[in-house]
């Protein structure tokens, strides 16, 4: 999570600071990404989606990220939860909870829905204080 926080701090100005790091089954770093929605004018350019897209080539198992771990500073939204399920990410670790849009236990729980084909391991609230502080700092700077 320290690495994801470091990545989050490189988010383009104007974008909500979120950082994601994708690790292979052997712990090797496959990809990092920040949120770039404003910078790219792309509503799908969330850190998790970009890390999955960048990391999948390095993992070398077609579109699958079986056994990989995605670490992200903020609880994934429904789109990102869907992307990581679709990619068969083995484990999700996230920092701050996101009560408004979080799809991993806050608003809904898309990653642990019953009857799901793929169920990743999920751990939330890791370095929650630091992850939340980074976001709060950003939103305060907008006021
Ligand atoms: Zn998202």
């Amino acid at each position: 999570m320290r690495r994801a926080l470091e990545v989050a701090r490189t988010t383009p100005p104007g974008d909500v600071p979120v950082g994601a790091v994708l690790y292979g089954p052997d712990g090797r770093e496959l990809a990092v990404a920040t949120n770039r929605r404003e910078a790219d004018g792309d509503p799908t350019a969330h850190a998790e989606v970009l890390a999955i897209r960048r990391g999948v080539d390095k993992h070398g198992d077609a579109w699958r990220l079986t056994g990989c771990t995605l670490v992200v500073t903020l609880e994934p939204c429904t789109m990102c939860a869907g992307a990581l399920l679709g990619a068969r990410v083995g484990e999700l670790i996230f920092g701050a909870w996101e009560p408004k849009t979080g799809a991993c236990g806050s608003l809904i729980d898309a990653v642990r829905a019953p009857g799901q084909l793929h169920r990743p391991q999920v751990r939330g609230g890791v370095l929650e204080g630091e992850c939340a502080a980074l976001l709060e700092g950003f939103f305060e700077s907008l006021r």
Side-chain angles (χ1 to χ4, degrees):
M1 189 58 74
R2 299 236 173 259
R3 175 73 176 125
L5 273 163
E6 193 181 292
V7 172
R9 291 192 182 97
T10 69
T11 301
D15 265 301
V16 177
V18 179
V21 187
L22 182 70
Y23 295 97
D26 56 359
R28 185 170 59 112
E29 187 176 295
L30 297 177
V32 300
T34 67
N35 177 31
R36 299 190 50 87
R37 192 167 53 176
E38 301 290 340
D40 293 354
D42 177 356
T44 72
H46 287 189
E48 301 93 311
V49 168
L50 297 177
I52 287 169
R53 283 186 192 151
R54 289 172 188 167
V56 79
D57 287 341
K58 284 194 187 156
H59 185 51
D61 183 18
W63 51 268
R64 288 177 204 84
L65 290 171
T66 312
C68 293
T69 299
L70 184 70
V71 182
V72 58
T73 55
L74 182 65
E75 182 183 0
C77 70
T78 48
M79 171 183 71
C80 294
L84 69 94
L85 289 175
R88 309 283 194 271
V89 168
E91 186 179 14
L92 166 68
I93 297 170
F94 65 88
W97 295 88
E98 171 45 283
K100 294 193 196 98
T101 61
C104 303
S106 287
L107 183 67
I108 58 167
D109 196 347
V111 288
R112 279 165 290 212
Q116 207 143 258
L117 279 173
H118 174 69
R119 273 178 174 247
Q121 297 279 322
V122 181
R123 192 147 53 102
V126 176
L127 295 185
E128 184 180 4
E130 276 180 64
C131 292
L134 185 65
L135 293 160
E136 281 156 19
F138 172 77
F139 287 111
E140 268 165 28
S141 73
L142 296 179
R143 282 183 208 129

